[in-house]
Amino acid sequence: MRRFIGFLHERRDYVVLIISIGFSLYFLSSDESSEVQIIRGKANSFFSVLYRPILWVRGINELRTENELLRDKTVQLGLLNSTLLKYKYENDRLREMLNYRRKSQLSLIPARVVGKGISPMVSSISIDVGRDQGVRKNMSVLSIRGVVGKTVSVGNKTSTVQIMTDYNFRLSVKFEESGATGILRWKDQGVFEIWEVPETVEPRIGERILTSGYSNIFPEDLPVGEVIGFVDFPDLLETVVLARAYTDFGVLEHVFVAGKVGG
């Protein structure tokens, strides 16, 4: 108690000032005279000017908080939209596959691509059907656009498919308009070459290329691709045709394993 009294005595000037300000504010707030009201209004105006920066800072903080919430909502909506678009795309693809299966004269086993081959020597994919679903080795594999490849290894529930972009893959094909045949093989950069085409045959740019039917694996008239150019080899008595496949091997998700009806 003695210390507190000593503290007040040492700072008596400040204590008197604070008490005086307190009483002044009390009397100003309780007095309703016109002069006091004028002073009170001016004081309020003065303090409101001082308080504006505080309100401004508080408003910025509130806007920052709202922006963060909106940013989170935007990200969540973006992810949801991406998921919905993925489901829509997959639904459209499955509908196309269903329609293709209904129209086809082949026995088709639908499959999903579950992986890509890990061997650098063979370009392949893995699919989620096998012997349990009726898949056998050396069956043709198709997309809704055209030929994909053939089965080379079959397990109970999965199979390995050698795709057309493998350098060792060969396919007997024909040109839709002339009926001339050749052997298709992978070149590079999405381009295939067709060899052993008679020199007298001049396929048209854009002409469709189909399976020839000279194979126990690929039935006749399956879509393969289209003509995009030619290679001139003066010493060869044949035409080398450049082609592009209908199937986009970079986005394969769903395929069919095909067999002849009743086969």
Side-chain angles (χ1 to χ4, degrees):
M1 187 66 180
R2 183 179 299 173
R3 289 184 179 180
F4 178 71
I5 295 175
F7 175 81
L8 293 179
H9 179 72
E10 291 177 358
R11 293 169 176 79
R12 57 185 177 277
D13 295 335
Y14 296 106
V15 173
V16 172
L17 177 61
I18 292 171
I19 293 173
S20 300
I21 293 174
F23 278 112
S24 299
L25 292 175
Y26 171 75
F27 290 127
L28 285 174
S29 61
S30 60
D31 195 337
E32 297 298 331
S33 65
S34 59
E35 292 83 358
V36 171
Q37 289 182 0
I38 293 173
I39 295 173
R40 189 184 301 164
K42 291 183 178 180
N44 289 336
S45 300
F46 174 75
F47 284 113
S48 66
V49 172
L50 294 180
Y51 195 62
R52 283 176 187 173
I54 298 175
L55 293 175
W56 181 73
V57 172
R58 182 180 297 173
I60 290 178
N61 290 333
E62 290 177 353
L63 286 175
R64 183 180 293 113
T65 302
E66 289 180 3
N67 286 337
E68 290 175 354
L69 292 174
L70 290 173
R71 190 181 301 114
D72 291 342
K73 290 292 184 182
T74 301
V75 172
Q76 293 175 9
L77 289 174
L79 293 174
L80 177 60
N81 185 56
S82 177
T83 301
L84 293 176
L85 288 175
K86 178 183 177 182
Y87 288 148
K88 179 183 181 301
Y89 170 75
E90 185 168 341
N91 183 62
D92 291 342
R93 297 287 292 179
L94 292 175
R95 285 179 179 273
E96 288 180 342
M97 290 181 69
L98 180 60
N99 292 332
Y100 183 86
R101 187 179 183 184
R102 287 172 175 170
K103 295 176 183 178
S104 176
Q105 299 301 313
L106 300 172
S107 173
L108 299 176
I109 303 171
R112 181 189 293 270
V113 177
V114 294
K116 294 186 177 180
I118 59 175
S119 172
M121 303 301 294
V122 180
S123 295
S124 64
I125 57 174
S126 298
I127 56 177
D128 64 350
V129 293
R131 279 189 292 267
D132 291 351
Q133 290 76 33
V135 179
R136 304 183 305 276
K137 185 177 179 181
N138 287 331
M139 293 182 71
S140 56
V141 178
L142 316 172
S143 70
I144 59 174
R145 306 295 180 215
V147 174
V148 172
K150 65 179 182 179
T151 57
V152 292
S153 176
V154 179
N156 290 333
K157 298 184 181 300
T158 60
S159 302
T160 300
V161 178
Q162 180 189 26
I163 60 177
M164 289 170 55
T165 55
D166 183 71
Y167 281 101
N168 296 314
F169 187 91
R170 299 291 184 270
L171 179 63
S172 178
V173 298
K174 67 179 181 182
F175 301 98
E176 184 177 42
E177 296 176 13
S178 67
T181 61
I183 303 298
L184 178 142
R185 67 185 188 187
W186 171 251
K187 184 177 185 293
D188 57 27
Q189 301 297 321
V191 176
F192 293 83
E193 292 179 335
I194 303 175
W195 288 71
E196 302 181 21
V197 180
E199 186 180 18
T200 56
V201 175
E202 296 182 1
R204 177 180 56 82
I205 299 295
E207 184 175 348
R208 291 212 316 158
I209 302 164
L210 310 173
T211 53
S212 67
Y214 298 163
S215 167
N216 293 326
I217 300 176
F218 295 94
E220 186 178 8
D221 292 334
L222 296 178
V224 177
E226 64 181 18
V227 176
I228 61 171
F230 308 93
V231 179
D232 184 19
F233 290 109
D235 297 334
L236 294 179
L237 299 177
E238 63 183 56
T239 300
V240 178
V241 179
L242 299 179
R244 192 177 304 279
Y246 288 137
T247 297
D248 186 348
F249 296 93
V251 293
L252 276 179
E253 293 183 0
H254 303 280
V255 296
F256 293 105
V257 181
K260 295 182 180 179
V261 174

